[in-house]
Amino acid sequence: GAVVSQHPSRVICKSGTSVKIECRSLDFQATTMFWYRQFPKQSLMLMATSNEGSKATYEQGVEKDKFLINHASLTLSTLTVTSAHPEDSSFYICSASPPGITKNIQYFGAGTRLSVL
Amino acid sequence: AQSVSQHNHHVILSEAASLELGCNYSYGGTVNLFWYVQYPGQHLQLLLKYFSGDPLVKGIKGFEAEFIKSKFSFNLRKPSVQWSDTAEYFCAVNADTGKLIFGQGTTLQVKP
């Protein structure tokens, strides 16, 4: 159980285009989902917390107009990188937390490798 | 602010050697502690967690970790590593907010 699917796994795009990444909890409902960014040889940095039916909470330094997050249902959150530039190239990872006593456990997607040319 | 520090960035061991990876955190209140593992090309997987109770927790694949509150530590151990344990290991902490703070990660390389 507790499977999180992330799509696409890899995307290459031209500078200036927008890219949408999907994160789905396959066998549980996730009231909260998280989006992280991981640079090579570095740790995961939390970008934002996505709550179903409300606006995402962004971490300091993360541009909310650049990284649009939508959490329209209990099983789906999307991250859209708008007007992507080469410096946005990175590994983006989502996670989801089930409700209840396990709410502090996060289950992770496989990540999306974004390359902006 | 919470922070997590992993002392070993890159560890190289031979098979059957014992492993201990250090993790320290800075937060004075109640915390939940985690170790995640990321095998090459795969997603992060939960190895073990501590919420409360027995400070010695056992996880999957023979791993265990000990929470020492007085030292703000949650070190990961395995008595005998295998080549298949080669991976990136992350210690993480949250203070019941749901937000995870990750350490820098430790790359473990096990030589056959």
Side-chain angles (χ1 to χ4, degrees), chain B residues 13 26 40 53 76 82:
Chain B
L13 295 173
S26 66
L76 181 71
Q82 301 172 316

Side-chain angles (χ1 to χ4, degrees), chain A residues 34 43-44 59 104 106 109-110, chain B residues 34 36 43 96 98-99 102-103:
Chain A
F34 303 86
S43 187
L44 283 77
E59 295 300 300
N104 288 321
Q106 292 184 27
Chain B
F34 306 82
Y36 282 88
H43 63 280
D96 211 28
K99 290 167 60 171
F102 282 86

Side-chain angles (χ1 to χ4, degrees), chain B residues 3-102:
Chain B
S3 67
V4 179
S5 177
Q6 291 181 238
H7 316 299
N8 320 98
H9 297 298
H10 196 161
V11 174
I12 302 174
L13 295 173
S14 298
E15 275 195 315
S18 64
L19 169 73
E20 180 159 4
L21 301 182
C23 173
N24 285 87
Y25 65 94
S26 66
Y27 183 74
T30 302
V31 293
N32 300 310
L33 300 156
F34 306 82
W35 275 96
Y36 282 88
V37 60
Q38 188 173 29
Y39 297 103
Q42 297 188 28
H43 63 280
L44 280 163
Q45 299 174 39
L46 181 65
L47 260 185
L48 48 77
K49 64 188 183 296
Y50 173 79
F51 284 3
S52 63
D54 189 344
L56 183 63
V57 292
K58 296 190 182 298
I60 60 172
K61 305 187 181 186
F63 286 91
E64 65 178 31
E66 184 174 13
F67 170 51
I68 303 179
K69 190 175 181 179
S70 61
K71 295 184 177 180
F72 297 90
S73 70
F74 190 55
N75 292 355
L76 181 71
R77 298 195 293 250
K78 185 170 184 178
S80 175
V81 294
Q82 301 172 316
W83 176 78
S84 57
D85 293 324
T86 294
E88 188 87 14
Y89 292 81
F90 293 95
C91 180
V93 173
N94 77 24
D96 211 28
T97 62
K99 290 167 60 171
L100 277 178
I101 307 299
F102 282 86

Side-chain angles (χ1 to χ4, degrees), chain A residues 5-24:
Chain A
S5 171
Q6 192 172 337
H7 179 80
S9 58
R10 187 179 182 96
V11 59
I12 301 172
C13 69
K14 292 182 179 180
S15 185
T17 60
S18 294
V19 174
K20 181 186 282 188
I21 303 169
E22 290 188 349
C23 181
R24 294 181 185 272

